[in-house]
Amino acid sequence: FIFKNNLYFITKVLSLYVYKLTTEPVYTADFLSHNVQAKKVEFVSNHICDLYFHSSGARWDYGDIRGGTPAIYIPTIGFLSFFHSKYTSLKQQHCGYYYFIGAYIFSAKIPFQLLKMSPQPIITSDIIYNPKDNPNHESRIYPMSFYLEDDNNKIINDDKTIPTTVILSAGYNVTNGYSIRIDFTTLLKSMVNVNCF
């Protein structure tokens, strides 16, 4: 994500690990006729959160939280991003993997702090699961990117407009892609405040 004209990236949601890409080169090489240059990264934030910590008493019981989308700044709210988690089912007749999608919001200032998070999945792979196409009972849905729309269904390109809709692109089993429309107000209401210590 971009913050004050710098590129940042998140490597972990709980606890929130944020890194800043610097302009300082640490490695340069000519690889297959391409000039490759590695840049130094600077650890910016380590907002410690226990995995089972919401102020509402809710927990994330849907597997390990994994990768997600780049974050987008929303005025008066913070940065919004989506993640996926992987749950392994060990039931004898349905052994396999299931993925879930959740969302989180973190502050728009350094050190970045986790503010809100989905206490349960907002999207599950079951919405498009078809056992005939997937005999191994593995169902993977994961967020890739998203954009925001205003109340006129126009894409928001500024950091002043509050969105009404989120359009989330998601992959499914590495074979299909989906565009999922989510009401922004409903998404916010579904999230709980984070109590990190």
Side-chain angles (χ1 to χ4, degrees):
F1 65 97
I2 304 293
F3 179 70
K4 294 188 176 180
N5 295 320
N6 289 298
L7 181 63
Y8 292 80
F9 57 97
I10 297 165
T11 60
K12 189 175 177 185
V13 175
L14 288 173
S15 301
L16 186 64
Y17 284 16
V18 180
Y19 292 83
K20 174 184 170 186
L21 184 65
T22 70
T23 57
E24 179 184 336
V26 292
Y27 174 78
T28 302
D30 190 28
F31 181 72
L32 298 177
S33 300
H34 300 288
N35 186 6
V36 177
Q37 187 177 70
K39 302 284 186 178
K40 182 178 177 182
V41 293
E42 176 183 307
F43 190 57
V44 175
S45 177
N46 181 7
H47 192 220
I48 303 295
C49 285
D50 183 73
L51 185 57
Y52 305 103
F53 75 74
H54 298 301
S55 60
S56 67
R59 300 163 37 130
W60 185 263
D61 289 329
Y62 306 93
D64 295 330
I65 293 176
R66 299 160 63 102
T69 65
I72 295 178
Y73 175 72
I74 300 171
T76 72
I77 292 170
F79 281 97
L80 171 66
S81 186
F82 293 86
F83 62 86
H84 77 276
S85 66
K86 176 183 172 185
Y87 175 79
T88 304
S89 172
L90 300 177
K91 293 180 182 176
Q92 193 171 22
Q93 66 216 38
H94 296 297
C95 186
Y97 301 113
Y98 298 90
Y99 281 40
F100 303 95
I101 294 177
Y104 64 102
I105 293 173
F106 60 94
S107 64
K109 61 183 178 180
I110 297 174
F112 301 106
Q113 295 184 344
L114 199 54
L115 301 175
K116 289 182 170 286
M117 189 173 147
S118 302
Q120 58 192 15
I122 56 173
I123 300 170
T124 69
S125 52
D126 290 343
I127 62 173
I128 49 181
Y129 175 69
N130 183 347
K132 290 180 182 176
D133 295 338
N134 194 351
N136 295 327
H137 300 283
E138 294 180 350
S139 187
R140 299 176 183 95
I141 191 166
Y142 45 90
M144 298 185 298
S145 188
F146 71 101
Y147 64 91
L148 306 169
E149 289 183 345
D150 63 17
D151 53 359
N152 295 316
N153 295 329
K154 302 279 189 217
I155 296 174
I156 296 173
N157 289 324
D158 62 56
D159 60 358
K160 296 171 184 61
T161 307
I162 301 293
T164 57
T165 306
V166 176
I167 307 298
L168 176 67
S169 67
Y172 180 73
N173 280 351
V174 195
T175 57
N176 298 315
Y178 294 89
S179 179
I180 302 166
R181 181 174 289 272
I182 303 168
D183 179 79
F184 180 70
T185 303
T186 303
L187 176 65
L188 274 185
K189 286 180 182 176
S190 75
M191 299 169 84
V192 297
N193 292 330
V194 172
N195 238 352
C196 296
F197 20 105

